Amino acid sequence: MLKIQKCFQNYFHVKVLTISIMCIFLMFTLFTYNSIEIGNEQIEGELIRNGHTLIRLLAYNSRIGLFSENKILLENAAQSIMQEKDVISVDVFDKTGKLLQTNKKQRNGYIHHNSANSEQITIDKSIINEINPIVVKKEDGFIELLAPIYNINIFAIDDKLTPSATVDADKKTLLGFARITISTCALQIGKKELMHKNLILFIIFILLAIIVIYFSIKQITEPLTTLREQLRVFAEKGTVNKLPIKTSDEIGKVSQAFNDMVNTLHKKEEERQKLEKHMMKIQKYEAIGLLSGGIAHDINNILTAFIGKISLARLYILKDAYVAIERLNEALAVIQDAKELSKHLLTLSKEGMALKKAPTDMNSLLKTTTDFILGGSTVQYTISTPDNMWMCNIDANYINQVINNILLNAKVAIGENGIVIINAENFIINDNNTIPLSPGKYLKISIKDNGIGMDEECLNNLFTPFFTTKKEGTGLGLATSYSIVQKHDGHLSAESKPGEGTTFYIYLPALQPLPNDQPKVKQHTQNTKITPKILFMDDDDDIRDSIGELMKSHGYDITTTSEGNETIQLYNEALRLNNPFDIVILDLTIQNGMNGIDTIKYLNKIDPLVQIIIASGYTKNIINDNNCPIIYKAIVQKPYSVEDIINAINSIDD
């Protein structure tokens, strides 16, 4: 019952259909009832009219027999009336009410009333002055009609034996009375048949009405249902389609109005997208300009300092070798600044960052990093983490850099007596979430400070490279942090208002548990050599010359090549002479000739035990692409020093 009530309340077509069916049902019920009543009256009236005709005929035919007291004539008159199927008895009385002739029908189950068996009747004197016959008795099962018999014909001579209006009342003499009893069985049968027919018609009309109403309502509600569905889709997804127009009536006009609205929305959306693309181009150009200006500014500073140090070293090279060496060391330190700048820029690029992911306890990482940055200062801080905090598969060094950058910015924003609140929680992203991440399990880290906050313009440019509000800032810290989190398939965002502090949100994919019994791959080992034989490949002449000379100065036997075919040829030749290279160091990006990836694939094929070190500026795709079937031992990121190369060589287990 509750479901029916709810359905009635929630669906317009159910309401209309129910009310319409109830109205039609009531209307057809009244119509059928009225039709049955009228039909019954017509059937009964026809039976009585037939009885009137018969009793008039009986009175007419009984005049002579009654006047002459001839029973044979009375018998003949009665028998002619008894031939009618609905007549069950015929009686003739004299004027005193004495029964002179009676005929009864003894078949077909007719029931004769007691009055039809009486030999004497009481005459109502009012009937003597009546011309028309009167109904004496009307009960269930029969109708009795009584009429006076006169010596002259009081009925007009026509088919219906209607009363004559020309009869002289002084000449007529009452001779007796005639009585007919008519069975109403046929009347009842006729009424039942009439009722059955009307009920069948009632059911047919109701069904037809329901069908017509249903399809009529469907023509109205179907466009409304489609309209409602389109509006729901528009509310959920922001997209909407046109409605089909099937009629030109009010419903069709509503659909047309909706379609006009859809056209307007589509035009507005196209205009918005064009404007958005235009704004994105402008913002991109602004970002490129800001990036180019920042790079040029930092490189110019580095080059200016480097040129100054080299110039001083050249000045003192003959006068004071010690001072010259100090200036050269300072020049190397300036180059290290350039290396850090390059590292930041590579982090911002799509392919420039190689991640070394490992399962990491974020609880320990958060506490260690926070204690290192904020510990010992006047800043108050709290760290809140759940007991069952999920681990993350991350490059701990890079994520540590992200947290460092955010905490350092917070420390500057809040001053000496600020507060930093760090919360971590297990977080599940579903399909309906507005965070631009795929559904799944994530670790959510929030870092909130009570500093001066930021306005909307500053917040919008927060992760733009070289955008900074600090006098001594580079504008790369948060931009680099954003890129690092993105390359971990996570998301970094911030919210802030002037005077209300700033909150950073870090989302990192949670680590999917792995079986504890995974077999470890056994690594091949070679015998250790005192001076490894090195094959070095790079397409830059200056790099080959400088690295070759520096490596030789450290006691290494090194051969340099410029592209992959030459490298493979020399490696094969060394194998053939049973004097193989111990380590191959190569760049991935080669301008003219076979690139580093194809070279590594070929070397892995001809010698599965080859020891390879990648020395390149673009390594992200190699590290993170599981479909790239190459085997290597270590990676050195450009720009690198000879010490970086030697450390990578020493890290290989010979």
Side-chain angles (χ1 to χ4, degrees):
M1 187 65 185
L2 292 175
K3 291 183 178 180
I4 296 175
Q5 184 179 1
K6 186 176 181 181
C7 184
F8 186 81
Q9 291 176 348
N10 295 340
Y11 296 100
F12 173 75
H13 65 278
V14 174
K15 294 180 182 178
V16 177
L17 183 62
T18 303
I19 294 173
S20 300
I21 291 174
M22 291 176 64
C23 293
I24 293 295
F25 182 84
L26 180 60
M27 182 179 69
F28 274 106
T29 300
L30 294 175
F31 177 78
T32 303
Y33 176 79
N34 189 50
S35 298
I36 292 174
E37 287 296 316
I38 293 174
N40 289 338
E41 290 178 1
Q42 290 177 348
I43 294 173
E44 186 174 339
E46 182 66 25
L47 184 63
I48 293 175
R49 284 193 297 273
N50 187 40
H52 283 189
T53 302
L54 291 176
I55 200 167
R56 288 168 185 163
L57 183 61
L58 177 62
Y60 178 78
N61 293 334
S62 300
R63 289 180 300 116
I64 300 174
L66 190 60
F67 181 78
S68 63
E69 297 183 356
N70 188 333
K71 289 189 176 183
I72 295 176
L73 293 176
L74 293 176
E75 177 71 22
N76 291 336
Q79 286 295 334
S80 64
I81 301 301
M82 289 293 294
Q83 298 301 318
E84 296 295 326
K85 65 176 184 177
D86 293 328
V87 178
I88 58 175
S89 68
V90 176
D91 301 303
V92 179
F93 301 87
D94 63 11
K95 62 182 180 180
T96 63
K98 181 181 179 182
L99 180 63
L100 300 178
Q101 177 64 37
T102 181
N103 291 74
K104 300 176 182 178
K105 194 175 288 184
Q106 300 291 338
R107 66 181 185 276
N108 297 333
Y110 289 118
I111 301 175
H112 304 295
H113 197 270
N114 291 332
S115 63
N117 298 325
S118 61
E119 295 183 357
Q120 182 72 36
I121 60 172
T122 302
I123 304 300
D124 186 357
K125 292 183 179 181
S126 63
I127 195 176
I128 298 175
N129 298 322
E130 287 287 338
I131 297 177
N132 290 319
I134 63 172
V135 176
V136 176
K137 204 173 279 188
K138 182 179 177 182
E139 297 183 1
D140 291 340
F142 72 92
I143 298 175
E144 285 186 0
L145 295 99
L146 187 65
I149 302 173
Y150 293 95
N151 61 334
I152 61 176
N153 182 22
I154 62 174
F155 301 106
I157 305 301
D158 57 16
D159 293 338
K160 296 183 179 180
L161 293 175
T162 57
S164 175
T166 61
V167 176
D168 189 353
D170 295 335
K171 294 181 179 181
K172 67 178 182 179
T173 303
L174 181 64
L175 300 177
F177 299 94
R179 183 176 68 183
I180 296 177
T181 304
I182 301 174
S183 173
T184 59
C185 290
L187 175 64
Q188 300 300 326
I189 293 173
K191 288 183 177 181
K192 289 181 180 179
E193 290 178 352
L194 177 64
M195 182 176 292
H196 290 162
K197 290 179 181 179
N198 277 277
L199 287 176
I200 292 173
L201 290 174
F202 173 78
I203 294 172
I204 292 174
F205 280 122
I206 285 292
L207 292 177
L208 289 175
I210 291 174
I211 294 173
V212 172
I213 292 172
Y214 172 76
F215 285 103
S216 299
I217 294 175
K218 187 177 180 182
Q219 291 295 321
I220 298 174
T221 58
E222 192 174 48
L224 295 178
T225 302
T226 307
L227 174 61
R228 181 195 64 188
E229 182 63 22
Q230 290 297 328
L231 292 175
R232 184 189 64 80
V233 173
F234 178 72
E236 292 180 357
K237 301 180 180 180
T239 59
V240 63
N241 298 319
K242 292 184 178 181
L243 297 178
I245 301 176
K246 299 180 180 179
T247 61
S248 58
D249 55 8
E250 286 76 6
I251 298 299
K253 292 177 181 178
V254 171
S255 300
Q256 183 61 49
F258 180 80
N259 290 343
D260 293 340
M261 183 190 72
V262 171
N263 290 332
T264 303
L265 288 175
H266 284 169
K267 290 180 181 179
K268 294 290 185 182
E269 180 63 20
E270 290 176 0
E271 293 175 358
R272 187 192 65 79
Q273 289 180 358
K274 289 180 181 179
L275 181 61
E276 191 176 77
K277 289 180 180 179
H278 180 67
M279 293 301 297
M280 287 179 65
K281 286 183 180 179
I282 293 176
Q283 292 174 359
K284 188 180 294 184
Y285 290 144
E286 290 177 351
I288 291 174
L290 185 63
L291 180 63
S292 301
I295 293 174
H297 176 270
D298 287 357
I299 288 179
N300 286 335
N301 288 342
I302 291 171
L303 289 177
T304 301
F306 182 74
I307 292 172
K309 299 299 181 183
I310 294 297
S311 298
L312 288 172
R314 186 174 61 180
L315 178 64
Y316 287 104
I317 191 67
L318 297 177
K319 297 180 180 180
D320 192 338
Y322 178 79
V323 175
I325 293 173
E326 287 294 325
R327 297 297 176 265
L328 289 174
N329 289 333
E330 291 172 357
L332 288 176
V334 172
I335 292 301
Q336 289 298 320
D337 293 337
K339 180 179 179 181
E340 289 299 318
L341 175 62
S342 175
K343 182 179 179 181
H344 282 299
L345 295 176
L346 287 174
T347 301
L348 296 174
S349 70
K350 291 183 178 180
E351 300 178 353
M353 186 172 65
L355 298 178
K356 299 178 181 179
K357 293 183 179 180
T360 304
D361 180 7
M362 293 301 298
N363 189 14
S364 175
L365 179 65
L366 276 174
K367 291 181 178 179
T368 301
T369 305
T370 305
D371 291 341
F372 178 77
I373 299 297
L374 302 180
S377 67
T378 58
V379 175
Q380 301 179 32
Y381 63 92
T382 60
I383 302 175
S384 176
T385 59
D387 295 335
N388 58 341
M389 187 165 70
W390 294 331
M391 297 181 68
C392 295
N393 192 32
I394 60 170
D395 188 320
N397 290 329
Y398 278 111
I399 298 300
N400 181 68
Q401 180 182 343
V402 171
I403 299 172
N404 276 345
N405 289 334
I406 295 174
L407 291 176
L408 287 173
N409 276 274
K411 190 175 181 181
V412 173
I414 60 181
E416 296 181 356
N417 298 317
I419 300 174
V420 176
I421 300 174
I422 301 173
N423 288 319
E425 61 177 304
N426 300 329
F427 193 78
I428 296 178
I429 294 179
N430 51 38
D431 293 328
N432 298 325
N433 208 298
T434 57
I435 301 172
L437 290 172
S438 301
K441 295 181 177 181
Y442 292 82
L443 181 66
K444 177 182 178 182
I445 302 171
S446 64
I447 302 175
K448 181 179 181 180
D449 65 62
N450 64 340
I452 59 175
M454 291 178 283
D455 57 21
E456 186 175 356
E457 180 182 0
C458 184
L459 190 62
N460 292 335
N461 292 284
L462 189 61
F463 302 115
T464 303
F466 293 103
F467 177 82
T468 181
T469 58
K470 295 181 291 186
K471 293 181 179 180
E472 299 179 356
T474 63
L476 289 175
L478 291 178
T480 303
S481 299
Y482 184 85
S483 180
I484 290 172
V485 175
Q486 289 288 107
K487 289 168 185 176
H488 278 83
D489 298 321
H491 181 66
L492 175 62
S493 63
E495 60 182 25
S496 179
K497 290 184 179 180
E500 297 183 9
T502 303
T503 303
F504 285 88
Y505 298 99
I506 305 172
Y507 298 87
L508 295 172
L511 179 65
Q512 299 298 325
L514 297 174
N516 294 325
D517 56 348
Q518 284 189 337
K520 294 183 179 180
V521 179
K522 184 177 180 180
Q523 301 292 334
H524 176 80
T525 59
Q526 290 183 337
N527 293 329
T528 303
K529 293 184 179 181
I530 298 175
T531 56
K533 185 179 179 182
I534 307 296
L535 181 59
F536 181 84
M537 183 185 84
D538 198 293
D539 60 344
D540 188 280
D541 295 339
D542 292 333
I543 293 177
R544 287 199 310 274
D545 293 343
S546 60
I547 292 298
E549 188 173 347
L550 288 169
M551 292 295 289
K552 287 178 181 178
S553 68
H554 284 77
Y556 289 94
D557 181 8
I558 185 170
T559 303
T560 61
T561 61
S562 61
E563 55 89 28
N565 289 319
E566 182 184 2
T567 302
I568 294 171
Q569 182 180 356
L570 290 177
Y571 194 86
N572 274 328
E573 183 68 19
L575 286 177
R576 188 181 66 81
L577 297 175
N578 199 24
N579 186 22
F581 289 98
D582 299 301
I583 296 174
V584 180
I585 303 172
L586 44 75
D587 190 9
L588 297 181
T589 305
I590 303 297
Q591 295 293 335
N592 298 309
M594 182 184 293
N595 61 40
I597 295 176
D598 294 336
T599 304
I600 295 174
K601 290 180 182 179
Y602 197 89
L603 291 175
N604 289 153
K605 185 183 297 184
I606 63 177
D607 184 9
L609 304 180
V610 62
Q611 309 286 326
I612 294 175
I613 296 175
I614 296 174
S616 181
Y618 296 94
T619 57
K620 173 177 176 284
N621 289 342
I622 303 303
I623 299 298
N624 298 330
D625 189 358
N626 294 327
N627 296 321
C628 186
I630 63 172
I631 301 173
Y632 56 91
K633 292 295 184 180
I635 292 178
V636 178
Q637 194 85 29
K638 283 185 177 180
Y640 51 76
S641 64
V642 67
E643 287 78 10
D644 295 331
I645 296 292
I646 294 173
N647 290 335
I649 294 173
N650 294 334
S651 68
I652 299 177
D653 294 331
D654 294 335

